[in-house]
Amino acid sequence: MVARLAVADATVNELAEPYDVTVQAVSKHLKVLEEAGLVSRRRDARRRPVHLEAEGFDLMTRWIERYRREAEERYRRLDDVLRTMPDDVDAAPTP
């Protein structure tokens, strides 16, 4: 749905059409995206097209990038610890 909305605004029916899902299911997903500020709806005569809010995705991208960098730093520190450990650690003795 997000990929479709990146091309152009679309109604709920247009978004549901290519998928084997109900219009209600699509509406439910859109409600979540709308509450997150990622899409908006406006009235256009009898249609209510859904619009992708690029600013919301910019914020989400920055948030994901921040956590990606933090995860990379943790893996880097784990690699440093693993390099200091001996390679041939014996298994714990059996009783």
Side-chain angles (χ1 to χ4, degrees):
M1 287 192 306
V2 171
R4 167 63 177 84
L5 290 171
V7 174
D9 294 357
T11 64
V12 174
N13 285 332
E14 291 167 340
L15 290 170
E17 194 174 279
Y19 304 104
D20 187 25
V21 294
T22 64
V23 171
Q24 291 81 8
V26 171
S27 290
K28 192 173 181 179
H29 287 289
L30 287 174
K31 184 177 178 188
V32 173
L33 293 172
E34 194 170 14
E35 289 173 357
L38 300 176
V39 299
S40 62
R41 296 182 206 204
R42 60 182 166 78
R43 188 162 297 282
D44 182 17
R46 297 182 66 187
R47 301 176 72 226
R48 286 202 67 204
V50 181
H51 175 76
L52 187 66
E53 295 293 341
E55 185 178 311
F57 276 90
D58 287 344
L59 289 171
M60 192 170 68
T61 300
R62 285 196 296 266
W63 182 85
I64 291 169
E65 180 61 24
R66 182 178 127 209
Y67 283 96
R68 185 190 64 76
R69 276 189 253 124
E70 288 179 15
E72 279 183 3
E73 181 57 32
R74 280 192 297 260
Y75 283 123
R76 207 171 298 126
R77 288 194 307 260
L78 178 60
D79 284 344
D80 292 344
V81 170
L82 292 174
R83 263 189 236 106
T84 65
M85 297 176 71
D87 290 339
D88 58 345
V89 176
D90 293 333
T94 54

